[in-house]
Structure formats: structure tokens, C-alpha cells
Amino acid sequence: MAPPASNGPMTPEETRVVIASSLGTVFEWYDFYLYGALAAIIARQFFSALDAGSAFLFALLAFAAAARGVQVQDLVRIKGSETSKLVGMGLVVGLKGTGDGGK
């Protein structure tokens, strides 16, 4: 059984982690707020061919797709993945009859 956590003051490193995490959360929510506030304008600018409700939904879906893309990008950054991507691209380009054919 693990010993109980101490209720003493936080170390400077723990304080720094709490502050950095809080700032990251504030910036992320500010980003959500800005996009939500501007979603109606974005809908009119980019989805003007649709009715107002559909355009607004498509603007929100565009934001959701971008957020999902960032999550996938974070997953791809697993240690060693850059080397694997380089080897894979080298194989595709280097093997005869594969790749883009020099186009």
C-alpha cells in the first residue's frame, strides 16, 4: 500500500506545473470562445450557399475536424515515428515502379 500523500506546501516544480497547466487550459478555452463567437461570421463567409442554420453547423463541424486533426497529429508524434516515416518514404520513392514517377 502506498504511503499517504503529504499535505505540506507544494514544491516550486509542482507550482510551476500547476501554473503551466492552468495557462494552457485558459488559452485553449479562449480559442474555443473566439471560434464560437465568430462561428456565425465564418458561416456567412465560407458557407454562404447554404441556409443560415446549415451554414452555422458546417462552421462548427469545420472547427471539430480541425480539433480532431490536431489530436491525430499528437498521436503520430510518438517517439520514433519520424524515423519510421522517413524510412517508409524512402522505400516508396526508392522502389522501382512506386512513388509519383518523378511528376
Side-chain angles (χ1 to χ4, degrees):
M1 188 175 235
S6 68
N7 291 332
M10 288 193 302
T11 65
E13 184 175 333
E14 290 172 332
T15 303
R16 188 180 70 181
V17 168
V18 168
I19 290 171
S21 299
S22 299
L23 282 174
T25 301
V26 166
F27 293 146
E28 185 174 355
W29 279 103
Y30 183 66
D31 184 35
F32 291 148
Y33 168 76
L34 282 178
Y35 194 87
L38 296 173
I41 296 169
I42 292 169
R44 279 195 307 266
Q45 294 295 321
F46 293 99
F47 302 105
S48 59
L50 302 173
D51 64 284
S54 297
F56 184 72
L57 286 176
F58 273 99
L60 292 178
L61 285 172
F63 180 66
R68 176 58 75 184
V70 169
Q71 289 175 345
V72 170
Q73 181 183 12
D74 289 343
L75 289 174
V76 171
R77 289 186 184 165
I78 296 172
K79 185 177 181 180
S81 66
E82 286 82 14
T83 304
S84 299
K85 287 190 285 187
L86 287 174
V87 169
M89 289 185 330
L91 287 173
V92 168
V93 172
L95 293 174
K96 186 175 182 179
T98 62
D100 63 0
K103 296 179 184 177

